[in-house]
Amino acid sequence: HQLECAMLGKQWHPKRNSNPAVKKMEKKGIIFDTNKTYSVDATFDMLTSGKISAVGAAARFLNSFDAEDYAFYYVKGRGVVAAGEIISELSQTRETGESYKMVRMIVPEKLPVEEAQLREISASRLKEIMGHGFYFASTTKRPYLTEEESLKLIAELKRLYSE
């Protein structure tokens, strides 16, 4: 890939999604940006519908998720607000062009009535918990999380929602 970039005159970047601790075919966690820029209701729509979704070019990021992977809902300016487990293959709504995968919600167990009541793990707290930073300028935040890291993040979210 580095040679291809050089031939095209593009700058080469090592894969930012690579986490050597995450092996192929292993359950992983992915922090998924709910894209409030596109729709202010996107996060709450995804949570109340039990899905992760995207429209247009961003839909390609849904292919990063395999069945049983953990999906962490990330809201720009707030942080990680919820977690679930992928339970379906990719589907698309014809009318809106929305692509989605269904999610079994893990936390919060009981969804608040208003989005403002969601608890969050900020980007700085996320870095503190995981012991490493993330590349945030993408719909899926990288590196992906190992199953162990995912369970640690779920435990922290459960703690926040139990306060």
Side-chain angles (χ1 to χ4, degrees):
H1 188 73
Q2 188 174 6
L3 177 61
E4 181 182 316
C5 287
M7 290 171 59
L8 296 172
K10 295 182 179 178
Q11 187 175 1
W12 177 76
H13 297 281
K15 280 190 167 185
R16 291 187 176 108
N17 67 336
S18 60
N19 179 344
V22 177
K23 295 169 183 61
K24 200 140 179 89
M25 303 303 290
E26 190 175 282
K27 189 171 185 170
K28 64 188 173 295
I30 301 177
I31 300 170
F32 184 80
D33 195 317
T34 59
N35 197 358
K36 295 217 30 131
T37 306
Y38 176 77
S39 167
V40 293
D41 300 322
T43 304
F44 219 59
D45 174 58
M46 286 185 222
L47 294 174
T48 55
S49 302
K51 65 184 178 184
I52 56 167
S53 64
V55 178
R60 74 182 188 279
F61 292 105
L62 295 172
N63 292 320
S64 304
F65 291 92
D66 297 315
E68 299 183 2
D69 280 348
Y70 294 109
F72 293 95
Y73 295 77
Y74 182 86
V75 178
K76 186 177 178 181
R78 292 189 67 186
V80 176
V81 298
E85 183 178 31
I86 302 295
I87 58 170
S88 78
E89 295 299 316
L90 188 66
S91 296
Q92 188 174 35
T93 305
R94 240 178 237 188
E95 300 80 41
T96 63
E98 173 191 46
S99 296
Y100 63 92
K101 288 192 176 191
M102 299 307 295
V103 174
R104 180 184 60 81
M105 292 307 299
I106 297 171
V107 61
E109 291 178 20
K110 186 176 186 297
L111 197 60
V113 180
E114 296 177 16
E115 188 171 336
Q117 297 171 320
L118 290 170
R119 306 291 173 94
E120 72 264 346
I121 299 172
S122 69
S124 60
R125 178 75 179 124
L126 182 62
K127 183 178 180 179
E128 186 180 305
I129 294 167
M130 293 297 122
H132 60 78
F134 292 85
Y135 178 73
F136 283 98
S138 177
T139 300
T140 53
K141 311 310 178 196
R142 295 173 180 90
Y144 296 160
L145 304 174
T146 64
E147 185 171 12
E148 183 181 329
E149 289 173 322
S150 297
L151 294 174
K152 193 183 221 183
L153 198 52
I154 289 168
E156 178 65 9
L157 278 169
K158 284 182 176 181
R159 185 190 69 73
L160 286 172
Y161 279 100
S162 69
E163 290 179 344

